[in-house]
Amino acid sequence: DGGITQSPKYLFRKEGQNVTLSCEQNLNHDAMYWYRQDPGQGLRLIYYSQIVNDFQKGDIAEGYSVSREKKESFPLTVTSAQKNPTAFYLCASSKQYTGELFFGEGSRLTVL
Amino acid sequence: GENVEQHPSTLSVQEGDSAVIKCTYSDSASNYFPWYKQELGKGPQLIIDIRSNVGEKKDQRIAVTLNKTAKHFSLHITETQPEDSAVYFCAASSYSSASKIIFGSGTRLSIRP
């Protein structure tokens, strides 16, 4: 079945540590996205990539980094510079030049 | 900046009754209005969408209406069922670019048996 796979589903991190969240898709979509979701708030865009080897900052990119070396993969690194990293992180993909997003099941990061 | 306001934040309805969620948007260039349903612990899933060239779209028990002049759009769920309990997000964007999508803050819908 085609879809988006995020891992891990739950992750705990100590303050000062970097952590990388995985996102893989087999939908053959060109574009991929990372969103952050906090309780009672909408989804906020962290980074997006329209094509391999290219990515753009979203609204809340500070403290995060990404790479897009393969069409299928768009990992997100939450660095120690992110001041409030505890959140639910969602990866999504879309066909080029369309508005419909397909989401993964999310990764919940807790900083201890 | 551009934003999407969504109301109410929580909604409880009796099973079988209708539920209505309303959104307003600020960017007059928006022409694509999707609605996503998020079940507990999962990612959002598109349930219906509407483009600016139509005023209403229906898919079985769900419908969306759009008033471009007033910049309002609404989700209507009829004959609600327990499986409709979830968080619903409205959004607005240009159809050609999902990177420009702006989400509302979500509505937690609970269906009472």
Side-chain angles (χ1 to χ4, degrees):
Chain A
D1 286 333
I4 299 180
T5 302
Q6 288 187 241
S7 63
K9 195 168 177 67
Y10 299 97
L11 187 61
F12 296 88
R13 184 193 98 178
K14 292 182 180 179
E15 280 192 25
Q17 289 180 335
N18 292 355
V19 62
T20 297
L21 308 180
S22 169
C23 178
E24 304 278 331
Q25 55 101 357
N26 60 2
L27 298 168
N28 199 32
H29 286 170
D30 290 305
M32 297 187 74
Y33 313 80
W34 274 104
Y35 287 90
R36 171 178 171 140
Q37 185 175 23
D38 294 288
Q41 297 190 34
L43 283 64
R44 294 185 289 168
L45 183 64
I46 304 173
Y47 267 98
Y48 66 98
S49 168
Q50 304 274 36
I51 197 168
V52 174
N53 291 323
D54 186 53
F55 48 83
Q56 307 294 330
K57 290 182 179 180
D59 300 318
I60 56 165
E62 186 176 351
Y64 300 97
S65 66
V66 293
S67 62
R68 187 85 187 277
E69 297 177 1
K70 299 187 300 182
K71 186 176 184 177
E72 302 80 18
S73 179
F74 191 42
L76 173 75
T77 297
V78 185
T79 76
S80 56
Q82 168 48 236
K83 291 184 174 24
N84 186 18
T86 295
F88 189 54
Y89 291 90
L90 286 159
C91 179
S93 69
S94 71
K95 294 179 184 177
Q96 192 67 280
Y97 306 121
T98 71
E100 182 179 355
L101 293 168
F102 293 79
F103 285 90
E105 298 219 326
S107 293
R108 186 168 297 280
L109 172 64
T110 302
V111 174
L112 304 174
Chain B
E2 309 300 347
N3 74 314
V4 174
E5 301 264 351
Q6 182 172 348
H7 299 281
S9 57
T10 59
L11 180 61
S12 178
V13 301
Q14 193 75 33
E15 183 177 349
D17 288 350
S18 296
V20 180
I21 302 170
K22 299 183 178 182
C23 292
T24 60
Y25 62 98
S26 60
D27 186 359
S28 55
S30 296
N31 59 10
Y32 176 64
F33 306 92
W35 286 86
Y36 288 85
K37 176 183 180 182
Q38 185 177 27
E39 296 178 350
L40 192 62
K42 296 192 175 183
Q45 187 172 18
L46 181 73
I47 55 170
I48 195 168
D49 56 13
I50 190 169
R51 298 193 206 182
S52 58
N53 56 348
V54 298
E56 184 172 0
K57 182 176 179 181
K58 191 173 182 180
D59 183 3
Q60 298 182 359
R61 295 186 299 106
I62 60 174
V64 58
T65 59
L66 171 65
N67 181 331
K68 278 207 72 179
T69 303
K71 296 183 188 172
H72 291 171
F73 57 114
S74 300
L75 177 72
H76 304 252
I77 306 174
T78 59
E79 300 172 14
T80 53
Q81 301 170 5
E83 54 265 36
D84 295 328
S85 293
V87 178
Y88 292 81
F89 291 96
C90 62
S93 77
S94 162
Y95 181 70
S96 63
S97 178
S99 65
K100 306 297 183 187
I101 194 168
I102 306 291
F103 286 90
S105 55
T107 296
R108 183 173 299 278
L109 175 63
S110 301
I111 308 301
R112 304 191 304 271

